[in-house]
Amino acid sequence: MVTGGWLIVIFLIAIAILLITIIKFKVNAFIALLVTTIGTGLMVRMPVSDISKVIGNGFGNTLGSIGVIIGLGVMLGRFLYESGGIEVIADTFLKRFNGSKSRIAVAMAGFITGIPVFGDVVHIMYAPMVRVISKKTRVSIVSLCCATVCATVATGAMVIPTPNPMAVAENLQLDYGVFFLYAALAGLFGTIVGGLGYGRFLDWQDRKIIMNMRLRILKILKRRAEHRLQEEKFRALVWRYRFFWFPLC
């Protein structure tokens, strides 16, 4: 078995392999995690017969401790989805923050609904609403999508009862109430910086690109108009002096 500082090195290598397999090679997250776990066991020189036992015990203990909470969270999210609770939350924020502040509305709505509901469901639910808001308020749809995605990703990655933070809280034996409070504050900070701050930058970039495109189109139209005007002047000149040209022809 490997001990000491090499364990940290192997841990960093395992994290890098996991991220590369998921992000670059698009491998299923569970398969990538399983393969990385087996590879880590081999790198630390763990007996092959013990690797399967460690993986089974680790997954079993984690799922046994947080499975009920995750199941109840999924049920709560389903209730919100079927009863229209997500739409009510979104409409409430939209009434408070309308017009140019609609970015804040979709971010806060995504932050609240992203706690009990999985982010993919929130994205599907909010997609039509984001398009309508973008048309009404003329706020970039990229900016609104950024606010929604950052909010749901922040809550899904850090705030219980989603699986990842629940596993962290259980393994570290943390108090759920304190963990929820600090995780919500961290997620809110990420939503403000990533969803609202970077979303505002994307909105500015989108408007800049559209403005440049409009200027280019105007220049092209101006050139065409000038070309047509020159053609009309030439035709008028030819027609004016037609009596001189016709005999020559």
Side-chain angles (χ1 to χ4, degrees):
M1 292 287 292
V2 177
T3 58
W6 282 106
L7 283 176
I8 300 177
V9 176
I10 293 174
F11 172 75
L12 295 176
I13 294 174
I15 294 296
I17 294 174
L18 180 63
L19 293 177
I20 291 172
T21 52
I22 294 175
I23 297 173
K24 185 175 182 179
F25 297 103
K26 309 298 181 182
V27 180
N28 181 273
F30 179 78
I31 301 298
L33 181 62
L34 187 62
V35 172
T36 305
T37 304
I38 296 174
T40 304
L42 294 175
M43 284 190 291
V44 299
R45 299 177 183 177
M46 181 182 294
V48 179
S49 58
D50 294 340
I51 294 177
S52 59
K53 295 180 182 179
V54 172
I55 294 175
N57 293 333
F59 276 105
N61 293 335
T62 302
L63 293 177
S65 59
I66 68 176
V68 176
I69 299 176
I70 294 175
L72 293 175
V74 172
M75 291 176 59
L76 176 60
R78 190 67 181 179
F79 290 153
L80 284 174
Y81 177 80
E82 295 292 343
S83 64
I86 296 178
E87 297 178 359
V88 173
I89 294 173
D91 292 338
T92 302
F93 280 103
L94 286 173
K95 291 178 181 178
R96 298 283 182 89
F97 305 96
N98 53 11
S100 61
K101 296 180 180 179
S102 56
R103 194 183 301 108
I104 301 176
V106 296
M108 292 299 101
F111 183 84
I112 298 298
T113 55
I115 295 176
V117 185
F118 285 107
D120 295 340
V121 178
V122 178
H123 298 162
I124 295 172
M125 285 290 298
Y126 282 5
M129 179 187 69
V130 167
R131 287 195 294 267
V132 173
I133 293 173
S134 178
K135 291 181 180 179
K136 289 184 178 180
T137 61
R138 297 189 179 276
V139 177
S140 171
I141 190 171
V142 178
S143 175
L144 295 175
C145 289
C146 177
T148 306
V149 171
C150 286
T152 52
V153 168
T155 53
M158 290 184 281
V159 183
I160 57 176
T162 50
N164 297 333
M166 280 298 303
V168 172
E170 179 63 27
N171 289 330
L172 297 179
Q173 298 296 318
L174 301 176
D175 182 83
Y176 287 157
V178 177
F179 184 82
F180 177 84
L181 177 61
Y182 282 100
L185 291 176
L188 184 61
F189 177 77
T191 301
I192 294 173
V193 175
L196 300 181
Y198 187 66
R200 188 177 183 85
F201 171 75
L202 290 178
D203 185 39
W204 175 75
Q205 285 287 95
D206 196 27
R207 292 177 184 273
K208 183 179 178 181
I209 293 173
I210 294 174
M211 184 61 66
N212 291 334
M213 291 178 62
R214 288 177 178 176
L215 290 176
R216 290 180 181 178
I217 293 173
L218 288 176
K219 288 181 179 179
I220 294 173
L221 294 176
K222 185 178 179 181
R223 290 176 183 175
R224 290 181 179 179
E226 291 176 352
H227 183 67
R228 290 178 182 176
L229 182 61
Q230 291 177 359
E231 288 182 350
E232 291 177 358
K233 288 182 179 180
F234 179 74
R235 291 175 183 175
L237 182 64
V238 172
W239 180 254
R240 180 180 298 178
Y241 297 101
R242 62 187 180 279
F243 297 105
F244 295 98
W245 298 110
F246 288 159
L248 296 176
C249 294

